[in-house]
Amino acid sequence: MKRKTTKHRRRSHQSVLHVRVMSPRIAWFGFLKLAGLIVKTTCVFAVLAGVGWGVWRGVDHAFYKNPDFRLQVIDLNANPVIDELGVTKVVGIDLTANPSLFDVDVTAAGRKLSELPAVTEARVERHLPATLVVRVVARTPKAWISCPDAGLAEVRKPGGMLVDAEGVAYPCPEYQAALAAGLPVIELPFSKDHPIHPGATIRQPELASCFELLDSACEADSEAPQWIESISPLNDWSLLLVTRQGTAATFGLGDHPRQIESLRAALDHAGEKGYVIETINLIPKYNIPITVRGGGVAPRAIPISEAELTDTSESRRARDLSNLLNRN
């Protein structure tokens, strides 16, 4: 027979249960259980901390304080930008502190060396037990940059501004000055819109025109940088090239191969005849005007390039044909 529970009994039973749960004894046991859990957790963390501290001490003793891993050698590739002592200054290595090889952050060291204006790429590695390997790729200079109004008047000496083939300007390192001494100078006008900053690309459009003329000269004669003193923009339509002998040659902004050949022919002719050209305007294809240094008399004719001779022959044939047709 199923026993029926009245509402009064259910309420009474609930009250008893409620009293039991909230009794001090149950609360005390709950507190002890929580305290035990906290103690266990603390012990676990203490053990982990102890293990971590022990591991760190072991690593510190085995690597950082191990005399076998003290930095002994900086293996730096041959380059014209920086030496081993310069590497320690840039990277921030104190050699007097007898540092460990593991004290050097190779990633940060490579980044700092790469930020040098004269360096395009740098890599730093640890080679155990005691060697720091450093590899840098230096910029290859193409010309010197002169812009007196921008404070860039010094050339062909350490600290002077160089520019590479990509148009990146950078101060000449001490070790690169002798190698770059024979390069020509590109003289640029001052520009507020395009200032020249070390490690940044020169944005002045005049540089591209000067590069085109220099490239044409180098294609015609690999020794052109040895006889070109400077190249500079004259105006919006012409450039001025000055040779090491002081000859001032005016070029247009295009047709550089033909003008370079005419200049070389004129200089060779002047050398054979014993006079020095003061100025020469190479923009005209024919009847190229020149002046002679020292008040001498300019020659009646100077040689012109093979391309111009071909043009002259074709022009002559066309003129003769025109005259014949007119006569007929």
Side-chain angles (χ1 to χ4, degrees):
M1 182 177 178
K2 187 175 180 181
R3 187 175 181 180
K4 190 174 181 179
T5 304
T6 63
K7 292 183 179 181
H8 177 73
R9 284 186 176 182
R10 284 199 297 267
R11 282 197 299 268
S12 177
H13 183 62
Q14 290 175 357
S15 299
V16 171
L17 289 178
H18 180 71
V19 170
R20 287 180 180 177
V21 170
M22 298 301 296
S23 66
R25 185 174 182 181
I26 295 299
W28 174 250
F29 281 115
F31 172 76
L32 292 178
K33 184 177 180 180
L34 178 62
L37 180 61
I38 293 175
V39 171
K40 290 179 180 179
T41 304
T42 304
C43 291
V44 170
F45 279 108
V47 170
L48 292 176
V51 171
W53 182 82
V55 171
W56 179 85
R57 290 285 296 176
V59 171
D60 183 59
H61 180 74
F63 294 97
Y64 290 91
K65 293 184 179 180
N66 190 333
D68 294 335
F69 295 141
R70 295 297 178 186
L71 178 60
Q72 300 293 331
V73 178
I74 296 179
D75 182 2
L76 175 66
N77 64 306
N79 70 90
V81 174
I82 195 170
D83 60 6
E84 290 82 358
L85 185 59
V87 169
T88 62
K89 292 180 179 179
V90 172
V91 175
I93 299 174
D94 184 8
L95 296 178
T96 61
N98 195 21
S100 168
L101 188 64
F102 294 95
D103 289 331
V104 181
D105 186 340
V106 294
T107 302
R111 183 177 64 254
K112 290 179 180 179
L113 291 171
S114 299
E115 291 173 352
L116 294 176
V119 174
T120 62
E121 182 182 351
R123 186 180 74 257
V124 181
E125 298 176 350
R126 300 187 192 94
H127 283 199
L128 299 179
T131 301
L132 189 69
V133 176
V134 181
R135 295 291 179 264
V136 298
V137 179
R139 296 190 183 278
T140 301
K142 184 171 185 175
W144 296 87
I145 293 295
S146 175
C147 185
D149 292 338
L152 303 175
E154 299 292 337
V155 295
R156 297 195 173 97
K157 61 176 59 177
M161 194 64 71
L162 289 167
V163 61
D164 66 2
E166 285 72 35
V168 178
Y170 67 96
C172 177
E174 182 179 356
Y175 303 103
Q176 202 172 38
L179 298 175
L183 295 177
V185 178
I186 293 180
E187 300 176 356
L188 294 176
F190 175 74
S191 173
K192 291 183 179 180
D193 296 330
H194 304 290
I196 300 174
H197 296 297
T201 302
I202 298 176
R203 300 297 181 184
Q204 293 191 34
E206 293 87 352
L207 179 65
S209 300
C210 294
F211 269 7
E212 289 177 3
L213 178 54
L214 180 58
D215 290 340
S216 296
C218 292
E219 289 176 3
D221 181 6
S222 59
E223 297 182 357
Q226 305 303 317
W227 55 264
I228 297 177
E229 172 63 24
S230 65
I231 299 176
S232 59
L234 274 178
N235 44 48
D236 293 339
W237 61 85
S238 63
L239 302 170
L240 179 66
L241 183 151
V242 180
T243 69
R244 299 292 172 102
Q245 290 184 332
T247 298
T250 302
F251 285 77
L253 297 184
D255 199 16
H256 291 155
R258 188 268 305 173
Q259 296 174 67
I260 286 291
E261 288 299 325
S262 296
L263 174 62
R264 294 179 64 199
L267 293 176
D268 291 342
H269 184 268
E272 293 175 358
K273 299 301 182 180
Y275 63 92
V276 178
I277 298 175
E278 183 72 24
T279 64
I280 178 171
N281 189 338
L282 297 155
I283 296 178
K285 286 188 176 182
Y286 317 113
N287 299 322
I288 297 175
I290 69 171
T291 62
V292 177
R293 185 173 302 171
V297 179
R300 293 182 179 180
I302 62 172
I304 55 180
S305 67
E306 183 178 349
E308 292 180 67
L309 288 172
T310 302
D311 292 342
T312 303
S313 300
E314 293 175 353
S315 299
R316 186 181 297 112
R317 286 196 296 270
R319 185 172 61 252
D320 293 342
L321 179 59
S322 176
N323 293 334
L324 179 61
L325 290 174
N326 290 333
R327 277 202 309 271
N328 293 336

